Amino acid sequence: ILYIEKYITGITISTEGASLKGVKLGFPKKLFWQELDPQVEKYCQIAIDKLVERGCLVVEVDLTEAYQLHLQCFSLIKYEVVKEMEKYLAMNKIDTPIEVAVDNIKTQYVQGMVKDFIQDPLTFEEYIQTLELRRKVVKLIQQVYQGVDLLVYPTTKWTATETGVEEKDFLGSVRNVFAFGISNTDIGGGANLPSVTIPVGRDENNLPIGLEFGQFTHNDAKLLQLCSLIEPIIRS
């Protein structure tokens, strides 16, 4: 990743003289560290304990307000997905109506969602209003980052699910695989937050478990520098 960063931006990320001592890890216990697969929780906590031993500080933060507002911004993709699909079909000279093209989406949940986008489109005025709401989300998250160096949370609350499975029972409730699977990472994509996932272990089926570290927008260099220090410690 560091080589790619240098190639794209021209910036060389160096860890020379850098240390994790005093680095504050924002721990969003509410929402992000709840309803976890026991093995996910176990290995992610072990990784954090290793970082604390090397001088990192764990600071509990609350992203509840930002997360709830973020959920209201979901309609942004209702507007953007349809526009981008239409653009893609036109650019590649694919003579297929978008209403037919969506039938090729394999995940039934996503296919139904996109069909709803087409049948009940968001107006441009509604889109602009939602963008303003998204700015509030970004501002709330920026306030959180004023007190921490990184946010840290499990990449997914469970380990990988078999391809083609739409729903599964988890902790006594039936969950939609797609929606629940992205529940921890969706806000990062929606608010343009750079992040890095580091493997921290494997479950009894040898499936990987990841711990995600996030930074605020345009702070990629700081994120990559700290994660370059973090990864070898976690893997040790």
Side-chain angles (χ1 to χ4, degrees):
I1 294 176
L2 297 183
Y3 287 120
I4 296 173
E5 177 74 8
K6 181 179 180 180
Y7 179 79
I8 294 174
T9 68
I11 298 173
T12 300
I13 308 296
S14 173
T15 58
E16 186 176 351
S19 168
L20 290 177
K21 188 174 180 59
V23 168
K24 295 180 180 179
L25 303 175
F27 189 85
K29 186 174 182 179
K30 293 181 181 179
L31 300 175
F32 292 81
W33 283 86
Q34 294 175 332
E35 299 184 295
L36 301 179
D37 180 299
Q39 293 179 92
V40 171
E41 184 172 17
K42 171 188 172 182
Y43 285 106
C44 286
Q45 188 59 58
I46 288 173
I48 288 180
D49 290 343
K50 287 182 178 181
L51 297 177
V52 170
E53 289 175 2
R54 296 299 186 96
C56 288
L57 305 173
V58 175
V59 180
E60 189 167 333
V61 296
D62 191 351
L63 290 173
T64 304
E65 185 179 359
Y67 193 88
Q68 290 173 344
L69 281 178
H70 162 70
L71 294 178
Q72 296 178 44
C73 296
F74 180 76
S75 56
L76 285 176
I77 67 169
K78 190 174 186 178
Y79 184 88
E80 293 171 349
V81 165
V82 175
K83 294 295 182 184
E84 289 302 315
M85 285 186 67
E86 291 173 338
K87 187 188 301 183
Y88 175 84
L89 293 172
M91 183 175 64
N92 290 279
K93 299 180 181 179
I94 300 174
D95 190 23
T96 302
I98 188 172
E99 293 82 2
V100 177
V102 296
D103 290 334
N104 292 311
I105 298 174
K106 299 302 182 183
T107 303
Q108 293 301 308
Y109 175 79
V110 177
Q111 183 187 112
M113 195 164 52
V114 177
K115 284 184 176 180
D116 177 64
F117 295 167
I118 296 169
Q119 293 167 5
D120 183 26
L122 197 72
T123 66
F124 181 71
E125 290 74 20
E126 291 172 326
Y127 177 65
I128 296 300
Q129 291 173 3
T130 310
L131 281 177
E132 185 58 38
L133 187 61
R134 178 183 174 276
R135 292 187 186 96
K136 293 180 181 179
V137 174
V138 172
K139 188 173 182 179
L140 285 169
I141 294 174
Q142 185 177 27
Q143 291 171 359
V144 171
Y145 272 113
Q146 290 175 357
V148 299
D149 297 293
L150 295 169
L151 288 179
V152 57
Y153 45 83
T155 307
T156 59
K157 294 173 178 286
W158 55 25
T159 50
T161 302
E162 291 182 15
T163 302
V165 175
E166 297 279 338
E167 293 182 336
K168 75 174 185 179
D169 185 77
F170 181 69
L171 301 180
S173 299
V174 177
R175 315 283 180 147
N176 177 276
V177 169
F178 176 81
F180 193 74
I182 66 169
S183 57
N184 268 11
T185 57
D186 189 48
I187 190 171
N192 288 348
L193 306 176
S195 60
V196 170
T197 288
I198 297 177
V200 294
R202 292 180 177 271
D203 69 4
E204 75 272 9
N205 296 314
N206 203 34
L207 294 172
I209 295 168
L211 186 63
E212 185 155 305
F213 296 85
Q215 238 299 333
F216 192 65
T217 305
H218 304 310
N219 283 349
D220 304 57
K222 181 177 181 180
L223 171 68
L224 292 173
Q225 181 193 53
L226 291 176
C227 285
S228 296
L229 296 172
I230 287 170
E231 184 174 23
I233 293 172
I234 287 179
R235 289 180 174 272
S236 65

